[in-house]
């Protein structure tokens, strides 16, 4: 049954375009002509979810299938949710306004930990039982994937199955099994049983966790022999051959990334020790620039977008960057399509490119030294020196730029107050570099913004065992840094330590923290990553009521021997490698990047990518 | 340098249907720009650092209002045949937006600056359920007032505005059970938009809600529009409701026409007289 939202409701909410669908390139099928309906759910508002490349890819990929109709679902903003609850309107899809509870499979993408309460809230709004164990044959299957799925445990009680790794192949395998299962009209568990045999599928109900007296994990084991002991992530070996949509939805309203996103490669050669993305997407696999230029043309013709951006974890590392950028500039000139460049390592080529690409906007150069001293940058394996940064900003200032953003992390392992002073010093040196640039070259009105986020230790990184600084310590460090900044040209921004603390709990939480998520949801927590809706006191109440100590997860140093909640997940990179990297961090030793030298992390098992180039 | 003489301007009329009535004016402009880029038509881009297509829209439409009389002027760098323009662009338009007619504009007439009047069809309920003759009688008396004052908020200040000179035509008809009883010949096409709408809401209302509504009232208005004086139809109806004591609830607004005054005549923006030099 599909529903019609009355004009009265739509008139009364902010940005009604979030709820109407029918955008250009959205897919319309006759639902009665398909065998499976998939609700692709993004646990945040429309304009955030619509900016997500993974959703665009999987939406169009699933809709290539004649037997399947994939529709989109976003979290309604609080005003709309209130109207929906008031009028007893369950959560619905955008394309056909079908109730989500009537779909076959409901899939969530997990992009950040602080979206977890929105998942629970969306299930509740959809009138689907929140806990996996309460779902019956009348209910859809609830699945999840995406970067946060690599530690699936905090959501284990809510999600029927997880897809580990890149979704392009595995999702089709799941649909094949599903349609087969549906035709045979078998019991619910038979489906989960069948997909548990697909590589990369994790059915949490089929695994049992036992704990020690000290609350650490004793073991995580499959309940039956036939379920895999380790669930290995899936990757796409050849990005030139894998499906990429030639058309994407063009929204009616402004979204966060309102442009064509051209995905250059997956993975990152760098191996920064705090960065989860740098490990979970290994090995690095590039798309050829020929294929990218082809894709850019077809995407441009099908969308009419005025801007193309290049996406990857580190675009300067793309090996045919020059060919690609120059090709795009030539191809896109006649239609006046802008090329939007991410923060690049600045040299004379990239500067010239930026001049050409962004003719008027000389604002916002972004650098991420991440740490304030060379010592600490060696600890985190961020291969950037102070000289690199100063040379880059000098070049940029000489080219007329006058606004620089610098990103740092505080609370990194081994950090001391000298490292933090170093952040302010770097800021001052950037100001000096501007002042020593001839007036006729530099742009007017220098602005240097220093932003610090707080270090959140993540699974599948060399820092996965590290404690997060206590909130009080983080605040003290922020204050200290602020006191060290002496220039009126520098503005300092920082993140809420409270939010980083919760991220640390749920990034490395085990199954037991799931009930805290549920309690927090019951107390009204949702949209936690939206400052105005973040209710830290409610979260702390939830922890207390569940008898769970959040500090045990966030601030405790873990031993290498400890069984980690995600030890049954296999991303290819070995634990030995992470231990080796952790030790090197404490010795302030850097590790060369994948292109310079293979360090044997283990990602070669996938038989593709940079390991074999 | 592009030779200015090679440029050609097209003026087009298009609809904004139910499907896209919640799109803001700004987003609609962006949507048009993207559709034009997809179309492959020789759009003219301004020279300079930040090239932009030259697209000018008529009077902005409030969010939630449908229309069959939206206008746009677009500049091309090469000749485009109007019929071909309609055909090509309609392939690039989302549901609810359709280009109905187009013409080459040789004059310097700027659509945004020259609009002076707009006509609307408004659908409303009145809880007292007066008969249609009574309403039309009241409208006549209402318009006989020497002035009709409403409170208008602009830039945070509330001021009193006399809207009487901004109302050129105002009459009502009764829609019972989906049929127009008092037929209004001026707005036949628009009536269809209203009828379809009633049909749609009848489907989405609960039985209880439907029973409460005995019938619908249609109002046809011709009011001042544009940069000199602009009256939103809901304000005229609100003033009428307050003056009569009718509990009047506006359900839907549909724009049926935009007009340009030339001398003492009122023309549609695609009138040959306005397009020619």
């Amino acid at each position: 049954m599909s529903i019609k939202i009355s004009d009265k409701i739509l008139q009364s909410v902010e940005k009604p375009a979030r709820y109407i669908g029918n955008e250009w390139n959205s897919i319309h099928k006759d639902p009665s002509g398909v065998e499976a309906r998939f609700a692709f759910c993004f646990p945040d508002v429309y304009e955030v979810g619509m900016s997500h490349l993974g959703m665009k890819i999987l939406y169009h990929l699933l809709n290539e299938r004649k037997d399947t109709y994939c529709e989109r679902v976003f979290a309604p903003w609080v005003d709309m949710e209130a109207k929906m609850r008031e009028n007893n309107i369950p959560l619905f899809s955008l394309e056909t306004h079908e109730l989500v509870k009537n779909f076959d499979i409901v899939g969530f993408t997990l992009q950040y930990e602080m979206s977890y309460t929105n998942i629970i809230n969306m299930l509740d709004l959809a009138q689907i039982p929140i806990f996996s164990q309460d779902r019956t044959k009348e209910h859809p299957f609830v699945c999840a994937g995406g970067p946060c799925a690599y530690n699936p445990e905090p959501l284990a009680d809510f999600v029927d199955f997880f897809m580990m790794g890149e979704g392009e192949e595995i999702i089709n395998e799941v649909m094949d099994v599903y349609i087969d299962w549906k035709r045979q009209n078998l019991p619910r568990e038979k489906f989960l049983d069948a997909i548990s045999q697909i590589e990369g599928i994790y059915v949490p109900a089929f695994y049992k966790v036992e704990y020690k007296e000290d609350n650490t994990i004793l073991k995580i084991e499959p309940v039956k022999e036939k379920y895999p002991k380790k669930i290995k992530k899936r990757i796409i070996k050849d990005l030139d051959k894998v499906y990429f949509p030639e058309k994407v939805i063009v929204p009616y309203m402004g979204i966060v990334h309102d442009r064509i996103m051209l995905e250059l490669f997956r993975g990152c050669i760098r191996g920064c020790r705090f960065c989860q993305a740098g490990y979970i997407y290994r090995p690095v696999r590039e798309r050829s620039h020929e294929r990218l230029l082809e894709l850019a043309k077809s995407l441009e013709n099908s969308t009419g977008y005025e801007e193309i951006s290049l996406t990857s974890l580190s675009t300067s590392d793309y090996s045919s960057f020059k060919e690609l950028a120059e090709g795009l500039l030539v191809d896109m000139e006649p239609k006046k399509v802008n090329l939007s460049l991410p923060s690049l390592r600045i040299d004379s080529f990239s500067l010239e490119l930026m001049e050409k690409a962004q003719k008027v906007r000389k604002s916002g150069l972004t650098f991420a030294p991440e740490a304030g001293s060379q010592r600490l940058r060696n600890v985190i394996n961020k291969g950037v020196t102070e000289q690199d940064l100063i040379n880059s900003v000098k070049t940029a200032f000489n080219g007329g730029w006058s606004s620089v953003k610098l990103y740092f992390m505080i609370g990194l392992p081994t950090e001391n107050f000298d490292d933090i002073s170093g952040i302010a010093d770097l800021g001052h040196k950037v100001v000096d570099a501007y002042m020593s640039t001839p007036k006729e070259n530099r742009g007017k009105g220098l602005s240097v913004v220093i932003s610090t986020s707080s270090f959140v230790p993540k699974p599948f990184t060399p820092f996965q065992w590290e404690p997060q600084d206590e909130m009080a310590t983080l605040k003290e460090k922020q204050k200290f840094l602020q006191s060290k900044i002496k220039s009126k040209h520098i503005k300092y921004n920082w993140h809420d330590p409270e939010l980083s603390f919760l991220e640390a709990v749920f990034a490395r939480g085990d199954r037991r923290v799931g009930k805290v998520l549920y309690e927090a949801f019951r107390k009204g927590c949702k949209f936690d990553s939206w400052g105005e809706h973040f209710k830290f006191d409610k979260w702390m109440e939830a922890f207390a009521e569940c008898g769970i100590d959040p500090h045990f997860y966030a601030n405790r140093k873990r031993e290498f021997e400890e069984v980690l909640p995600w030890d049954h997940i296999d991303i290819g990179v070995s634990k030995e490698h992470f231990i080796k990297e952790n030790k090197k961090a404490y010795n302030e030793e850097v590790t060369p990047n994948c292109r310079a030298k293979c360090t044997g992390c283990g990602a070669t098992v996938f038989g593709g990518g940079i390991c074999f180039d | 340098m592009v030779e200015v003489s090679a440029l050609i301007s097209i003026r087009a009329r298009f609809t904004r249907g139910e499907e896209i009535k919640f799109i803001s004016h700004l987003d609609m402009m962006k949507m048009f720009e993207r559709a034009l880029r997809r179309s492959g038509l020789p759009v003219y881009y301004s020279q300079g650092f930040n090239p932009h297509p030259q697209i000018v829209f008529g009077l902005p439409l409030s969010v939630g209002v449908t229309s069959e009389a939206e206008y746009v002027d677009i500049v091309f760098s090469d000749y485009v045949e109007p019929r071909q323009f309609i055909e090509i662009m309609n392939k690039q338009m989302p549901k609810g937006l359709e280009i109905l007619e187009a013409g080459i504009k040789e004059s310097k007439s700027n659509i945004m600056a020259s609009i002076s009047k707009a006509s609307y069809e408004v659908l409303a309920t009145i809880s007292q359920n007066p008969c249609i003759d009574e309403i039309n009688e009241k409208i006549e008396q209402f318009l006989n007032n020497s002035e009709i004052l409403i409170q208008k908020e602009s830039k945070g200040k509330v001021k009193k505005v006399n809207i009487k000179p901004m109302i050129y035509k105002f009459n009502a008809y009764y829609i019972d059970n989906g049929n127009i009883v008092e037929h209004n010949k001026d707005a036949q096409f628009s009536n269809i938009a209203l009828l379809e709408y009633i049909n749609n809401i009848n489907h989405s209302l609960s039985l209880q809600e439907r029973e409460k509504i005995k019938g619908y009232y249609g109002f046809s208005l011709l009011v001042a529009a544009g940069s000199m004086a602009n009256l939103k139809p809901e304000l005229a109806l609100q003033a009428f409701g307050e003056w009569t004591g009718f509990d009047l609830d506006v359900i839907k607004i549909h724009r049926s026409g935009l007009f340009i005054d030339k001398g003492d005549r009122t023309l549609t923006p695609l009138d040959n007289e306005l397009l020619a030099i």
Side-chain angles (χ1 to χ4, degrees), chain B residues 42-78:
Chain B
V43 180
Y44 169 72
Y45 290 92
S46 61
Q47 306 297 296
F49 273 128
N50 200 3
H52 262 76
Q54 304 297 294
I55 309 174
V56 179
F57 288 87
L59 192 67
L61 196 65
S62 305
V63 169
V65 178
T66 57
S67 172
E68 65 197 84
E70 296 306 287
Y71 290 88
V72 62
D73 291 348
I74 305 168
V75 182
F76 293 97
S77 59
D78 208 343

Side-chain angles (χ1 to χ4, degrees), chain B residues 161-176:
Chain B
V161 182
N162 178 17
I163 59 169
K164 195 193 162 190
M166 300 187 209
I167 304 173
Y168 305 113
K169 277 186 195 166
F170 186 3
N171 57 58
Y173 48 99
Y174 188 64
I175 304 171
D176 173 34

Side-chain angles (χ1 to χ4, degrees), chain B residues 27-207:
Chain B
D27 289 336
M28 205 263 311
M29 290 164 71
K30 204 173 212 176
M31 196 221 69
F32 234 93
E33 212 178 291
R34 289 169 180 168
L36 273 167
R37 200 179 270 109
R38 289 195 295 267
S39 74
L41 290 168
V43 180
Y44 169 72
Y45 290 92
S46 61
Q47 306 297 296
F49 273 128
N50 200 3
H52 262 76
Q54 304 297 294
I55 309 174
V56 179
F57 288 87
L59 192 67
L61 196 65
S62 305
V63 169
V65 178
T66 57
S67 172
E68 65 197 84
E70 296 306 287
Y71 290 88
V72 62
D73 291 348
I74 305 168
V75 182
F76 293 97
S77 59
D78 208 343
Y79 182 75
V80 178
E81 212 278 308
R83 255 181 308 180
Q84 207 185 1
F85 166 82
I86 296 174
E87 194 185 318
I88 292 174
M89 279 303 278
N90 277 341
K91 285 187 187 137
Q92 301 300 332
M93 289 300 181
K95 274 188 198 166
L97 205 154
E98 192 189 351
I99 297 179
L100 300 173
E101 48 180 334
I104 303 279
K105 179 175 76 81
E106 287 165 330
S107 68
K108 293 262 175 281
S109 156
N110 173 313
I111 187 72
M112 197 162 57
S114 46
I115 295 294
S116 58
K117 288 182 184 124
S119 61
Y120 297 93
E121 298 296 312
V122 181
L123 187 67
T125 55
I126 300 174
S127 61
Q128 291 95 335
N129 282 300
C131 73
I132 196 69
D133 294 339
E134 183 189 347
I135 295 180
N136 277 322
E137 228 167 80
K138 286 266 168 73
I139 289 176
E140 220 184 303
Q141 292 164 10
F142 177 63
L143 294 177
N144 277 337
N145 282 311
S146 56
E147 50 180 21
I148 301 170
L149 292 173
I150 61 157
Q151 311 262 13
K152 215 174 177 182
E153 216 188 290
S154 94
K155 290 165 198 158
K157 274 186 221 159
V158 184
K159 56 175 187 179
K160 279 200 172 141
V161 182
N162 178 17
I163 59 169
K164 195 193 162 190
M166 300 187 209
I167 304 173
Y168 305 113
K169 277 186 195 166
F170 186 3
N171 57 58
Y173 48 99
Y174 188 64
I175 304 171
D176 173 34
N177 209 14
N179 296 310
I180 296 174
V181 176
E182 301 293 320
H183 207 278
N184 181 321
K185 287 190 202 82
D186 291 343
Q188 281 190 26
F189 185 83
S190 314
N191 288 338
I192 294 169
L194 293 192
L195 287 180
E196 275 177 11
Y197 187 79
I198 292 171
N199 211 357
N200 267 329
I201 43 175
N202 275 342
H203 280 299
S204 68
L205 291 179
S206 68
L207 205 63

Side-chain angles (χ1 to χ4, degrees), chain A residues 4 6-8 10-11 15-17 20-25 28 250-254 258-259 300-307 334-338 359-360, chain B residues 18-24 27-28 30-31 33-35 37-38 40 45-46 48-51 63-65 91-95 197 200-201 204 249 251-252:
Chain A
K4 186 167 162 37
S6 75
D7 282 0
K8 261 218 164 91
L10 289 170
Q11 292 273 29
K15 301 186 186 173
I20 58 176
N22 265 328
E23 308 96 313
W24 189 252
N25 288 336
H28 295 276
V250 187
Y252 283 129
M253 57 178 282
D258 207 0
R259 52 189 74 88
E300 184 46 50
N301 290 337
S302 67
T303 62
Y305 259 125
E306 56 287 330
E307 192 165 76
K335 286 189 163 184
K336 310 292 175 200
V337 178
N338 287 324
K359 283 164 186 144
V360 272
Chain B
E18 291 294 329
E19 296 91 339
I20 54 161
K21 69 179 177 183
F22 288 111
I23 313 302
S24 74
D27 289 336
M28 205 263 311
K30 204 173 212 176
M31 196 221 69
E33 212 178 291
R34 289 169 180 168
R37 200 179 270 109
R38 289 195 295 267
Y45 290 92
S46 61
F49 273 128
N50 200 3
V63 169
V65 178
K91 285 187 187 137
Q92 301 300 332
M93 289 300 181
K95 274 188 198 166
Y197 187 79
N200 267 329
I201 43 175
S204 68
D249 191 13
I251 295 175
K252 180 194 162 66

Side-chain angles (χ1 to χ4, degrees), chain A residues 79-93:
Chain A
D79 56 351
M80 183 63 170
E81 185 191 331
K83 294 277 170 198
M84 287 166 67
R85 291 196 185 273
E86 196 182 300
N87 294 285
N88 196 26
I89 299 168
L91 190 66
F92 56 90
S93 70

Side-chain angles (χ1 to χ4, degrees), chain A residues 10 241 276 342:
Chain A
L10 289 170
K241 292 195 183 120
Q276 189 189 40

